[in-house]
Amino acid sequence: MSEMKKRWIALYVENQVGVLAKVSGLFSAKSYNLQSLTVGTTEDESISRMTISVESDDITFEQIKKQLNCMVEVIKVIDLTDVTLRMKEMMFVTITDLNEAQMTEAFQIAQAMRVDVVDIGIQSVMLECKRTEHKHNDLIALLKKKFKHISVVRGGAVAVESISTECK
Amino acid sequence: MDITGRKLFVKALQEEGVDTIFGYPGGTVTDLFDELYKTDAINLVLPRHEQGLIHEAEGYARSTGKVGVCLVTSGPGATNIITGLADAHYDSIPLVCFTGQVPLGLIGNDAFQEVDIVGMTRSITKYGVTVRNREELGRAIKMAFYIAQSGKPGPVLIDIPKDIQTAAGSADYPDHVDIRGYKPSSGVHVGQLKRAYKMLRTAKKPLILAGGGINIARANDKLQAFVEKEQIPVVTTIMGKGAIPTTHPLYIGNCGMHGKYAANMAVSQCDVLFSIGTRFNDRITGDLNEFAPKAKIVHIDIDTASISRNVVVDVPVVADADVALEKLLEWAQPKKMDKWMEQIHEWDESNPLAMRRDRGMSPQMIMEHINREFPHSIYVTDVGQHQMWATQYLELDENSQLITSGGLGTMGFGFPAAIGAKIANPDRNVVCITGDGGFQMNIQEMATAVTQGANVTICLLNNYYLGMVRQMQELFYGKRYSATCLRKRPSCPADCKGPSENCPPYVPDFVRLAESYGAYGIRVTKEEEIEVAFAEAKKHTNAPTIIEFMIATEELVLPMVKSGNPMSEMILK
C-alpha cells in the first residue's frame, strides 16, 4: 500500500438540491477519509465548485475520483494534488479573558503571522485569518499554547489552479 | 397547448415504449393511476406488496433487457421498494421507479406518508430526483429512461409530488437529453485492448473469467466465437453463468466460494486471467492476496470504478463487453492449449461436481430433471442453498437464461422475479427454484401470479431450515442452530442438534396453501415422483404450480471456501 497523504480535488457539480448530500454521502458510505469540503457557485449559477481534501493512499484516491466521476451530477473531477495552487482558508479566532500583557501579545502575534485584528473588546480580540490551512494549523497551535480561551471558526480551504506563479 | 403532469406522465411512458408497469396505488399517486386507467396501451400489474412489485419489475427487466417500470405511492410504498432498488443496483438492472410524494408545500412538514425517498436511496440508485417544477417533469422522465439503460445499467428513482401531477405545463416530451455530467463510454481504447490481447497470446495457461457483464451486454455469441477460435477455457461468476453454453467443451464451471474445484484451481494456476464484466466480488476472490497469484490480470469492464478496486489489474480496458469482443474477434487466431486443457480436465476428474446419490432425492437430481423436462427455459432462483445448487447443476444454452440475485443476495427475490419474467415472456417456460425460507418472504405474490395467470413452475426445495446459515452453523459453529429451524417452537429443546420424530409439524402446508390461492400444489418425496410432477405442472397453464421437494435436512452446498480464505482451500466433502 502506498503512503497515506493529503490530496486535493476540485469538483464541478450541478448546482441542485441533494448534490452536496450525495457527494459527502459517498465519503461516509465508503469509509473515505474526508478532511474538508467547501462549496460555492461559479460564474455559471447552474454549476457549483467544490474543493475537497482527503487523506488517502494512491489506490483509494484513484477509486474516489472514479466514484465521483460516476455520479450523474458531477460534471468534472480535477485532481489538484500535484498542481500549483492558490489556496486560502477563511478563519476567525476569538481570544477572550485577556489581561493587558496578553492583549499586547495577541496583537504582536497577529502582526507577525500576517492576520488582521478585526474586532476588539475590553478583554478580547478577534482575528480574521486568510492564510493556508497549514498556516492556520500552526497559528491555532501557537494560540492554544499562549492563551487559555480561544474559539476557532474555520471555513475549510478553497483552492484554485494558479495562472503563473508558484504559490502553495 | 398545456397538459397536466399526469397526462404527460402517461405520454412519456408510451413514447418510451413501456408495455407493462408494476404499480401499487396510494394517496399520492391516485392521479397517475386514474390516467393509466384511461389507456389500454399499458398493462398495469397489481402485486400484493411493493417489495414483490419491484422484484417483479426486475424479473421483467432481467429477462428482456428492457427497462422495468415501477409506480408506488409515497411513504411506506416508497420505502418498501428500497430492497429491490439495492438489488437492481448491485446487479446492474435497468429500472425506472416512480414514487408519489406529498405536495411541494408539505415537504419537510412530516406530512402523512412523507419520506425523503431520494435521500434514503441516494447510495443505491444510479440517479434519483424529486421533480420540483412541472416544467422539469418531461426532462426528468427522459433522463430516467436514458440513464437506467445506458452505460452500466441501474435503477433510477423519480419522485413526483402530488401537485406536480395535476399542474398544467408543456405537453412536450423530449426525444433526447444531453446530460453534461453523464457520458457513458461507448467505444473502446484499441491500443489498450491490443495490449490485453497480446498478453493473452503470450500466455501458456490463459483463462477467461466471464462475469454478468457478458449476459447484460448480450455478448454471448461473440464470446463463444472468440474462445472457440482461440481455444481458451472459460470460468464464470454466478452472474456470468450461461456466458457460453454450460455443455461447451471449453466451459469449466463457476468459480468462487461454491465454485467447481477445477474452476478455482484454474484461477489459482493460470498465468493470464482475462476477465470481462465482473467486479471481483469477495465471493469470487476469497483472500485477495491469494487470488490468481500467478496471473497477469486483464480486466474489461464498462464501469471504470470497478477496475482495480478489489483486484489490482495489469491491463485495464474500459469498454462494453460486446464492443470489446467484437474487436477481439477481428484479431482472434487459433492457439494450441492442449496441455493446459489436459490439466484442467484432470482437476475436474479428480473432483467433479457431484452430490451423493445414496441418500434419496438430492438437489442435484432435481436440477437434472429440470434440465431434461424444462430445457430452453428461464430459470429464476431465490437466495440460499437451492440457489447454489441451481448455479452448479443447471445447464444453460443460448435459449435459456438464469436469473438470480447475485450481488445483494436478496431472499424473497426469486418468486416475484419469476412472475415478472413470465409476464414479460408469456410463451416461455419459467421455472422458479426456491427454498422454503425465501419463498415465504414474498409468499403473498401467489395472488399476483394467479390473477395474472402467470403459470410459473415453482420448485420449492424444502429442508425445514434456513439451509445456508444452517450449513455454516454445522461446519463452523458447533451445530448451534440458532434461529435457522423453521419448525422450532418454544416447546423444543434449546440445544436441538437436528430433526427427530418429535419435531412439530411444518407450517405452512404448501400444497394446501397453493390450493387456497387457486393454484396447484404437488408434494414430491422421492426421485421417482419428479417426472410425474413436472408433467402435471406443465398441464397447468392458467396458474402457478408449487412442487414441494422434500429434501434431506443435512444436505450441504459443496465445495465451499470459508469466507476470506484462499480459493484453493476448498472444503470438498
Side-chain angles (χ1 to χ4, degrees), chain B residues 42-56:
Chain B
I42 299 170
N43 175 27
L44 174 57
V45 177
L46 173 68
R48 293 301 181 266
H49 189 293
E50 288 95 346
Q51 191 194 351
L53 178 153
I54 188 164
H55 292 324
E56 277 149 28

Side-chain angles (χ1 to χ4, degrees), chain B residues 11 276 291 400 459:
Chain B
K11 178 181 172 180
I276 311 175
F291 178 71
S400 52
C459 299

Side-chain angles (χ1 to χ4, degrees), chain B residues 56 91 186 205 341 409 431:
Chain B
E56 277 149 28
D91 286 348
S186 51
K205 299 174 177 180
M341 283 310 293
V431 181

Side-chain angles (χ1 to χ4, degrees), chain A residues 72-139:
Chain A
V72 171
E73 298 91 339
V74 169
I75 299 162
K76 200 171 179 190
V77 182
I78 306 170
D79 181 354
L80 297 179
T81 307
D82 295 317
V83 175
T84 313
L85 295 177
R86 290 198 169 270
M87 187 186 292
K88 287 282 179 286
E89 186 191 31
M90 185 70 220
M91 177 173 83
F92 288 105
V93 183
T94 312
I95 314 171
T96 48
D97 298 331
L98 298 172
N99 59 32
E100 252 173 64
Q102 286 173 320
M103 187 72 96
T104 311
E105 202 170 6
F107 271 81
Q108 283 168 349
I109 290 172
Q111 198 175 18
M113 298 295 275
R114 286 188 284 146
V115 300
D116 300 326
V117 176
V118 290
D119 205 353
I120 187 160
I122 293 167
Q123 288 185 304
S124 53
V125 291
M126 182 189 290
L127 310 181
E128 184 183 281
C129 320
K130 290 167 284 190
R131 310 286 309 270
T132 63
E133 233 184 16
H134 195 72
K135 274 270 182 314
H136 287 171
N137 291 343
D138 293 347
L139 179 60

Side-chain angles (χ1 to χ4, degrees), chain B residues 264-494:
Chain B
N264 279 337
M265 288 306 291
V267 173
S268 305
Q269 298 297 322
C270 66
D271 60 359
V272 169
L273 185 64
F274 198 91
S275 46
I276 311 175
T278 171
R279 62 165 169 260
F280 295 105
N281 178 277
D282 56 288
R283 286 323 200 229
I284 293 300
T285 62
D287 181 355
L288 280 169
N289 299 318
E290 296 287 322
F291 178 71
K294 300 176 178 172
K296 294 247 184 251
I297 300 179
V298 170
H299 188 188
I300 301 174
D301 204 289
I302 189 136
D303 176 21
T304 49
S306 287
I307 295 177
S308 285
R309 176 168 50 185
N310 301 334
V311 170
V312 179
V313 304
D314 298 283
V315 185
V317 182
V318 179
D320 178 75
D322 194 59
V323 175
L325 278 163
E326 184 159 322
K327 200 82 211 155
L328 286 167
L329 260 175
E330 287 176 20
W331 303 331
Q333 290 170 44
K335 191 170 165 77
K336 264 182 90 72
M337 283 289 108
D338 299 353
K339 250 182 130 173
W340 173 227
M341 283 310 293
E342 247 171 62
Q343 168 71 73
I344 290 167
H345 287 140
E346 268 172 40
W347 283 323
D348 209 11
E349 278 158 28
S350 69
N351 282 295
L353 204 52
M355 298 179 89
R356 287 175 60 167
R357 288 181 179 269
D358 59 351
R359 287 193 296 202
M361 180 173 61
S362 74
Q364 182 180 5
M365 292 171 191
I366 299 167
M367 300 306 156
E368 286 166 354
H369 278 273
I370 294 173
N371 287 332
R372 273 201 297 276
E373 301 293 328
F374 292 98
H376 316 310
S377 301
I378 300 173
Y379 310 105
V380 188
T381 82
D382 204 77
V383 167
Q385 284 188 309
H386 70 273
Q387 176 190 29
M388 294 300 110
W389 290 318
T391 57
Q392 289 177 330
Y393 295 108
L394 283 180
E395 302 291 1
L396 300 178
D397 62 15
E398 50 280 339
N399 296 315
S400 52
Q401 204 182 347
L402 175 67
I403 293 176
T404 193
S405 166
L408 194 66
T410 310
M411 281 176 73
F413 165 87
F415 178 45
I419 297 170
K422 185 69 193 180
I423 288 170
N425 302 272
D427 301 329
R428 296 187 65 186
N429 279 325
V430 175
V431 181
C432 171
I433 298 157
T434 187
D436 52 320
F439 184 64
Q440 290 187 69
M441 280 203 183
N442 269 316
I443 201 166
Q444 78 289 341
E445 295 308 308
M446 280 299 287
T448 314
V450 170
T451 51
Q452 291 291 321
N455 57 326
V456 175
T457 302
I458 303 155
C459 299
L460 190 158
L461 277 56
N462 191 346
N463 60 1
Y464 302 145
Y465 278 97
L466 302 174
M468 199 48 125
V469 180
R470 193 206 66 90
Q471 167 166 345
M472 288 189 247
Q473 291 168 338
E474 179 179 332
L475 297 175
F476 311 124
Y477 292 88
K479 298 193 176 184
R480 292 185 297 279
Y481 296 132
S482 179
T484 47
C485 176
L486 296 179
R487 285 192 291 188
K488 182 150 182 164
R489 300 192 183 187
S491 56
C492 291

Side-chain angles (χ1 to χ4, degrees), chain A residues 7-11 23 27 34 36-37 50-54 68:
Chain A
R7 298 151 203 269
W8 294 89
I9 296 171
L11 198 66
V23 170
F27 287 84
L34 179 67
S36 84
L37 190 161
M50 295 183 180
T51 306
I52 296 173
S53 86
V54 291
L68 289 169

Side-chain angles (χ1 to χ4, degrees), chain B residues 180-202:
Chain B
R180 57 189 167 188
Y182 180 71
K183 304 276 180 247
S185 102
S186 51
V188 54
H189 190 297
V190 175
Q192 193 71 350
L193 189 65
K194 193 119 210 172
R195 265 182 71 204
Y197 180 65
K198 275 190 182 149
M199 188 174 274
L200 185 69
R201 289 296 298 176
T202 57

